[in-house]
Amino acid sequence: MSDIFFISIFDTNYNMFSKASEYGIRAAIHLAHLSKKGERCSLRQVAKAIDSPVAFTAKVLQLLARDGIIVSFQGPTGGYEIPKESLSLVHLSDIVKAIDGDSIYNGCGLGLESCNEKKPCPLHFQFKSIRDELKEMLQTTSVQELAKGLEYGMAFLKR
Amino acid sequence: MSDIFFISIFDTNYNMFSKASEYGIRAAIHLAHLSKKGERCSLRQVAKAIDSPVAFTAKVLQLLARDGIIVSFQGPTGGYEIPKESLSLVHLSDIVKAIDGDSIYNGCGLGLESCNEKKPCPLHFQFKSIRDELKEMLQTTSVQELAKGLEYGMAFLKR
DNA sequence: TGTAAATCGGATAATATCATCCAATATAAT
DNA sequence: ATTATATTGGATGATATTATCCGATTTACA
């Protein structure tokens, strides 16, 4: 019998990142894309560009602004930018950390609090390998680099 | 200023797996450990062994039983087992799939529905690399193998 | 100086996930 | 047959995450 007949109460969506982080990353890539051209972008424009809920995106952008990852301006002509000189310095790890904290660096795959190298859960080393690679990817991938994918229409940010 | 002064509304816990999957994996490892010795284990014993909420664990074990990953017995002397002959066949991917579905194989890292090889999001290929490794790890790691870690007290399942 | 356009920030609502409760069902043992 | 012990499954509650609303604040510009 096909799986679709089992409609489970647990049929969740698997997410590597939280929605907040997803929006944060997409927004930052869009801002990087525009900031390279010296353009500023308002909240509404960001939300439209990445197809995200406006008010929720505002919260996410606030967090990024507080952490100095992006810069916000109030008043008319206001909006968000990433300063050109910091464009190459903003990595995905900065964004995820600003939004979801750094539990990504600590957590046990099986949710065990006291799991560590000396007292590992059964999945510890297999999991560590994956997480280290994820961490490495986040720390070495800049939003500037990802924004390049937008330039020639090779990548997109909307559903 | 230190990060801890920013108490964000988004301060989430990063989880590679859902709680349901965490409990499912831990339970399956424990059952594998006992089943190897020919022992059956009741819901309460499982929950105690892996330090999980009893009723919630019941739901998770039901899902695993429905999918044929574990076998349940009702009545006195009832409980759960993994048949010895299937012990080496149960992989983490089976458990995660039974509980969280197979979105782990499809989802885009940035949450974009129409993201694929031909129309990739900016993070597509970096993300694919990580996910493929996670997938590979889940598909090749058996609960039997993980249960071995318990035998000499080298690993544990409680917090 | 007034006004309009923008972000900020607190409160609240909606949804998903995690967790519990309890009656129904199955079954081993007396 | 009866009883006690176990899983099953439906309903409900609690918490976390996602999303919205709206007044306050900032600021460019007429």
Side-chain angles (χ1 to χ4, degrees):
Chain A
M1 198 188 298
S2 168
D3 286 340
I4 65 169
F5 290 112
F6 292 110
I7 295 172
S8 152
I9 62 166
F10 290 127
D11 210 28
T12 66
N13 281 338
Y14 181 81
N15 289 321
M16 187 79 79
F17 306 114
S18 67
K19 271 291 172 207
S21 276
E22 281 181 10
Y23 296 147
I25 293 172
R26 278 152 65 188
I29 295 174
H30 181 65
L31 289 176
H33 180 56
L34 293 184
S35 293
K36 202 183 304 184
K37 300 188 285 183
E39 292 175 22
R40 189 177 291 175
C41 192
S42 77
L43 167 63
R44 273 164 205 293
Q45 290 172 320
V46 171
K48 189 171 185 184
I50 69 173
D51 193 21
S52 65
V54 176
F56 192 65
T57 305
K59 301 297 186 192
V60 173
L61 292 178
Q62 262 178 61
L63 288 179
L64 296 183
R66 276 187 205 160
D67 239 46
I69 293 169
I70 66 179
V71 180
S72 70
F73 298 89
Q74 287 188 219
T77 78
Y80 304 91
E81 328 174 337
I82 299 177
K84 271 184 179 160
E85 56 280 15
S86 69
L87 259 179
S88 65
L89 303 176
V90 178
H91 291 85
L92 296 185
S93 55
D94 301 316
I95 297 168
V96 173
K97 186 177 178 184
I99 296 169
D100 283 339
D102 58 0
S103 54
I104 191 172
Y105 298 134
N106 313 320
C108 163
L110 297 184
L112 301 166
E113 293 187 15
S114 61
C115 170
N116 60 51
E117 302 281 311
K118 300 209 169 174
K119 193 166 177 293
C121 78
L123 196 58
H124 183 82
F125 298 104
Q126 291 92 329
F127 185 76
K128 179 174 166 48
S129 156
I130 306 286
R131 199 184 51 193
D132 284 353
E133 190 159 334
L134 173 60
K135 190 171 159 182
E136 174 77 10
M137 185 271 274
L138 295 176
Q139 286 177 337
T140 58
T141 305
S142 70
V143 290
Q144 185 181 39
E145 176 185 344
L146 296 178
K148 281 183 189 160
L150 298 176
E151 286 175 11
Y152 308 106
M154 296 184 61
F156 70 108
L157 289 172
K158 291 191 189 187
R159 101 174 69 117
Chain B
M1 198 187 299
S2 168
D3 286 340
I4 65 169
F5 291 112
F6 292 111
I7 296 173
S8 151
I9 61 167
F10 290 127
D11 210 28
T12 67
N13 281 338
Y14 180 81
N15 290 321
M16 187 79 79
F17 306 114
S18 66
K19 270 294 173 205
S21 276
E22 281 180 12
Y23 297 146
I25 293 172
R26 278 152 64 189
I29 295 174
H30 181 66
L31 289 176
H33 180 57
L34 293 185
S35 293
K36 202 183 303 184
K37 301 188 285 184
E39 293 176 21
R40 190 177 289 174
C41 192
S42 76
L43 167 63
R44 273 165 205 293
Q45 290 172 320
V46 171
K48 189 171 185 184
I50 69 173
D51 193 22
S52 65
V54 177
F56 193 64
T57 305
K59 301 298 187 191
V60 173
L61 292 178
Q62 263 178 60
L63 288 179
L64 297 183
R66 275 187 205 161
D67 240 45
I69 294 168
I70 66 180
V71 179
S72 71
F73 298 90
Q74 287 188 216
T77 77
Y80 304 91
E81 323 175 341
I82 300 178
K84 270 184 180 160
E85 57 280 15
S86 69
L87 260 179
S88 66
L89 302 176
V90 178
H91 292 85
L92 296 184
S93 56
D94 301 316
I95 297 168
V96 173
K97 187 177 179 183
I99 296 170
D100 284 339
D102 58 0
S103 53
I104 192 172
Y105 298 133
N106 313 320
C108 163
L110 298 183
L112 301 166
E113 293 187 13
S114 61
C115 170
N116 59 52
E117 302 280 312
K118 301 209 169 173
K119 192 165 177 292
C121 79
L123 196 58
H124 184 81
F125 298 104
Q126 291 92 330
F127 185 76
K128 178 174 165 52
S129 157
I130 307 286
R131 199 184 49 194
D132 284 353
E133 191 159 334
L134 173 60
K135 191 171 158 182
E136 174 76 11
M137 185 272 273
L138 295 176
Q139 287 177 337
T140 59
T141 305
S142 70
V143 290
Q144 184 180 39
E145 176 186 344
L146 296 178
K148 281 183 190 159
L150 297 177
E151 286 174 12
Y152 308 106
M154 297 184 61
F156 68 108
L157 288 172
K158 290 191 190 186
R159 103 174 69 115

